[in-house]
Amino acid sequence: MKIAVVGATGLVGTKMLQVLEERNFPITDLLLVASEKSVGKEITFKGKAYKVISVEDAIKQKADIALFSAGGSTSLAQAPLFAAAGTTVIDNSSAWRMDPTKKLVVPEVNADVLTPEDKIIANPNCSTIQMVVALKPLHDKYKIKRVVVSTYQSVTGTGVKAVDQLMNERAGIDGPMAYPYKIDLNVLPHIDVFTENGYTKEEMKMVKETNKIMGDDSIRVTATTVRIPVMGGHSESVNIEFANDFDLAEVKEILSKAPGVVVTDDVANLKYPMPLDAHDKDDVFVGRIRRDESQSNTLNCWIVSDNLRKGAATNAVQIAEYLVAKHLVGESVEA
Ligand code: 2RA
């Protein structure tokens, strides 16, 4: 497979290359694309040096798949150009997620919606991905009515500038601010911009993307997304109301057998998911699984995952793996 990575020098683009290498994705040719200022920069992949090339040059080379993590405006402008050249784009920005003509995919949940005609595929928001991986097997069994989620999101979700701000603050160094306030020893109940209903765009992404990925608009979702001074991944406190009652032991068994999920739930021995343990892993870790004693048919749980991996790079690579395995891309496309 000829693969392009667009945004190859960013946090997620770099992680995409790491995941492609770790998972030994079948690459015959690799195109690394970034902004004009990075053209010519060398990046090593599988021990071989590759030079960053321009978008125009990459489009001409007609990659089979292009993994994008270059921001929404870049994707809106360039993804259609790659698609027109015959490349299948998997885009990590929010640009295409709610477009009714584009698929929004978490392979463990809804990969079966993909067809050879899908030339621009949206990778969901990191905080949504980790949640729906855990919700899907429970929805199939007990039918979810409503989800209330509060997130505790890593600064890596914002990008390099935010990581630098945290580390500078921790070192007592004044530096550029990615946030309107200090982040160390603080939390910010504000991710992305506020909308007219008082929610932030991040919160509305969790609401709308969950319904689209789960294929069920009857699921009611409300979210509060919060930035916290950690690096390893996003954490979420999730309250799930089902249409039907459940057996707690069965819930834990269902989750422990669910694809992409690792249950870490032994509070007697202080075993529960934490960002430091999730860092650089692809699993969605679920713990603190317990009945909500304030309401019938309702469950509380705690979900943690590395937002740069399963929340972005790995999910995108898994979509690419699915496309290849099902012959939905490249020369082996089965009509
Ligand atoms: C964040 N989910 O954490 C958003 C985008 N990565 O900032």
Side-chain angles (χ1 to χ4, degrees):
M1 282 287 152
K2 182 184 285 189
I3 299 295
V5 177
V6 181
T9 58
L11 272 183
V12 173
T14 302
K15 195 61 72 173
M16 284 173 168
L17 290 169
Q18 179 189 337
V19 171
L20 286 166
E21 186 162 351
E22 283 178 8
R23 297 174 73 98
N24 200 26
F25 191 88
I27 296 176
T28 53
D29 195 357
L30 180 66
L31 309 176
L32 301 181
V33 187
S35 59
E36 280 305 314
K37 68 179 173 39
S38 297
V39 170
K41 179 180 175 183
E42 280 201 354
I43 296 176
T44 301
F45 178 80
K46 285 193 167 179
K48 181 182 172 187
Y50 291 80
K51 283 190 185 296
V52 173
I53 62 175
S54 69
V55 171
E56 294 72 22
D57 190 357
I59 292 168
K60 283 182 218 156
Q61 296 194 49
K62 296 182 183 293
D64 295 301
I65 297 174
L67 301 177
F68 265 61
S69 189
S73 54
T74 299
S75 182
L76 283 172
Q78 295 171 4
L81 302 179
F82 277 86
T87 299
T88 298
V89 173
I90 301 169
D91 175 49
N92 191 53
S93 82
S94 59
W96 305 99
R97 290 176 185 159
M98 299 320 294
D99 181 323
T101 68
K102 302 295 184 289
K103 305 291 174 51
L104 182 65
V105 176
V106 176
E108 294 90 339
V109 179
N110 67 333
D112 57 355
V113 300
L114 291 170
T115 72
E117 288 67 46
D118 293 309
K119 301 307 286 181
I120 298 177
I121 301 163
N123 206 40
N125 192 38
C126 41
S127 47
T128 307
I129 290 173
Q130 65 186 69
M131 185 172 78
V132 297
V133 169
L135 292 184
K136 167 65 174 170
L138 300 179
H139 182 57
D140 288 346
K141 177 70 177 177
Y142 304 113
K143 186 162 173 48
I144 294 173
K145 289 176 64 178
R146 183 172 183 251
V147 176
V148 182
V149 54
S150 295
T151 73
Y152 308 77
Q153 298 182 219
S154 161
V155 294
T156 56
T158 306
V160 173
K161 190 176 175 185
V163 172
D164 291 346
Q165 179 185 332
L166 172 58
M167 301 321 287
N168 284 339
E169 288 177 12
R170 198 151 287 183
I173 301 167
D174 285 335
M177 299 280 280
Y179 302 117
Y181 304 104
K182 285 189 177 297
I183 184 62
D184 197 23
L185 306 177
N186 197 12
V187 296
L188 304 180
H190 167 198
I191 295 178
D192 209 326
V193 297
F194 283 96
T195 61
E196 73 288 340
N197 65 357
Y199 283 67
T200 61
K201 283 181 74 173
E202 182 80 357
E203 290 157 353
M204 293 313 298
K205 285 175 185 176
M206 293 196 77
V207 173
K208 295 177 179 176
E209 291 179 20
T210 297
N211 289 137
K212 183 168 180 179
I213 297 161
M214 299 286 280
D216 187 339
D217 288 346
S218 73
I219 300 173
R220 290 175 287 125
V221 181
T222 190
T224 302
T225 58
V226 179
R227 188 74 66 193
I228 63 171
V230 301
M231 305 272 275
H234 292 347
S235 303
E236 300 174 346
S237 173
V238 185
N239 178 275
I240 311 165
E241 180 187 0
F242 298 103
N244 305 295
D245 197 7
F246 57 84
D247 172 79
L248 196 56
E250 185 181 57
V251 165
K252 293 183 182 181
E253 185 184 2
I254 289 169
L255 286 172
S256 62
K257 292 177 179 172
V261 175
V262 171
V263 173
T264 307
D265 194 31
D266 177 8
V267 294
N269 294 298
L270 304 187
K271 300 296 183 192
Y272 35 69
M274 296 182 284
L276 281 177
D277 295 337
H279 181 58
D280 230 8
K281 298 188 178 76
D282 288 329
D283 302 296
V284 171
F285 297 88
V286 185
R288 300 297 323 279
I289 304 165
R290 63 201 191 281
R291 187 175 288 278
D292 173 354
E293 296 181 347
S294 70
Q295 180 172 278
S296 60
N297 301 346
T298 307
L299 184 80
N300 286 319
C301 63
W302 176 254
I303 301 172
V304 177
S305 193
D306 184 325
N307 54 290
L308 292 181
R309 289 188 68 109
K310 182 55 187 171
T314 304
N315 196 74
V317 172
Q318 288 172 326
I319 292 171
E321 288 171 344
Y322 183 88
L323 294 172
V324 172
K326 300 294 184 183
H327 307 294
L328 301 178
V329 68
E331 292 173 2
S332 62
V333 171
E334 290 179 355

